[in-house]
Amino acid sequence: MISALNLRDIQEPVEGDLGILKLYLQQIVGQPFLFFRESYGDELTIHLGRPEERKSPRLKNRFRGSYVVTVRGSLWTMVAAEKGMLFLSDPPKELNRAELKKLSFSELQQTPLISPDANVVWAIPFDDLSGGIALALGFSDHGRFIIRPAPHHAEESSEDGELPEIADWEIYTPLGRYLRVGPGQKWAYLPSTSSESPSTTTSRKRKRPSGRRRRQK
Amino acid sequence: MDTETAFDFRDYLHECKESGDYGTSNERGDFTRELRDKAREFLGLE
């Protein structure tokens, strides 16, 4: 039987259910890689899809992708297969740092570690050791990008109820919706703009009765 | 500020930083008032 998922419907916060999350991620599969960009707070963003102008006149010449993956405070690893290089946002202490080449954000932005014409060929969420949800992206040039929630981020978020929660990673879409993942196993697909038409918004409620999923050991 | 605007605002703050406008922290060591002013500037409310 053929089924359809309306990507304009919202998904209220749920715990786990990575199979459904994977379905929402299908919309970035096939999208071309555009560029990396650093944002406020040293946050890495990955721009995909088609270049779009910003709404704000303050950002007139700063194009963005129709899809943007924001890494927030998470750790990331990138395999640039064609260059035979591995890039790490937070190399393990066991590695001899003297042997590692340091790379600034501007170098990352200027050196296309993923080919400009490469497309996303797979996008898979998976349970991470931190207790959160990681994301693996594969590109048609055999490059891979993996986002893993920082363990300290997961602990801070669950213990401090006063500060607003910061997601582990997010994906902005051109449909006025964004995928918000973390902290922990929580994720949602929510409106990203205030221009919301109630007639096109259907709230999908699916709650896991048993609470958090068991963490991987 | 909706989520999309907040995302653009973060980019705007970064652009300010790149052009040398780093801001100055207050006596508590944070940028609360300055961030509020930047948000007004970004939204065209000044």
Side-chain angles (χ1 to χ4, degrees), chain A residues 54 58 64 72 192 194, chain B residues 2 4 8 10-11 46:
Chain A
R54 313 298 275 262
R58 297 274 178 183
R64 58 171 274 189
R72 305 299 271 154
S192 58
S194 51
Chain B
D2 62 35
E4 196 83 36
D8 282 350
R10 293 205 300 270
D11 253 10
E46 40 182 5

Side-chain angles (χ1 to χ4, degrees), chain A residues 29-87:
Chain A
V29 173
Q31 299 294 336
F33 169 77
L34 294 175
F35 51 83
F36 292 109
R37 180 181 282 155
E38 184 184 10
S39 188
Y40 184 65
D42 301 331
E43 180 185 352
L44 178 68
T45 58
I46 309 164
H47 293 250
L48 308 167
R50 58 178 190 277
E52 288 188 343
E53 279 189 33
R54 313 298 275 262
K55 286 177 193 160
S56 170
R58 297 274 178 183
L59 293 168
K60 222 172 185 180
N61 299 315
R62 206 169 166 92
F63 283 81
R64 58 171 274 189
S66 49
Y67 288 90
V68 184
V69 181
T70 71
V71 172
R72 305 299 271 154
S74 292
L75 313 176
W76 55 264
T77 306
M78 179 165 38
V79 180
E82 286 188 345
K83 294 184 189 303
M85 299 282 285
L86 173 69
F87 298 87

Side-chain angles (χ1 to χ4, degrees), chain B residues 2-34:
Chain B
D2 62 35
T3 310
E4 196 83 36
T5 311
F7 170 75
D8 282 350
F9 180 53
R10 293 205 300 270
D11 253 10
Y12 176 62
L13 286 176
H14 185 72
E15 200 172 65
C16 290
K17 194 175 135 191
E18 273 183 335
S19 58
D21 181 3
Y22 289 93
T24 42
S25 58
N26 60 23
E27 63 276 8
R28 294 197 313 273
D30 65 45
F31 298 82
T32 311
R33 180 183 288 271
E34 208 162 5

Side-chain angles (χ1 to χ4, degrees), chain A residues 5 7 18-31 67 69 120 122-126 133-137 169 171 179 181 189:
Chain A
L5 175 69
L7 295 172
L18 299 196
I20 305 295
L21 174 58
K22 192 177 172 186
L23 287 181
Y24 282 99
L25 285 166
Q26 291 309 298
Q27 59 188 301
I28 65 167
V29 173
Q31 299 294 336
Y67 288 90
V69 181
V120 177
W122 41 263
I124 300 170
F126 59 95
I133 301 171
L135 173 67
L137 295 177
W169 47 275
I171 299 180
L179 198 53
V181 180
Y189 186 68

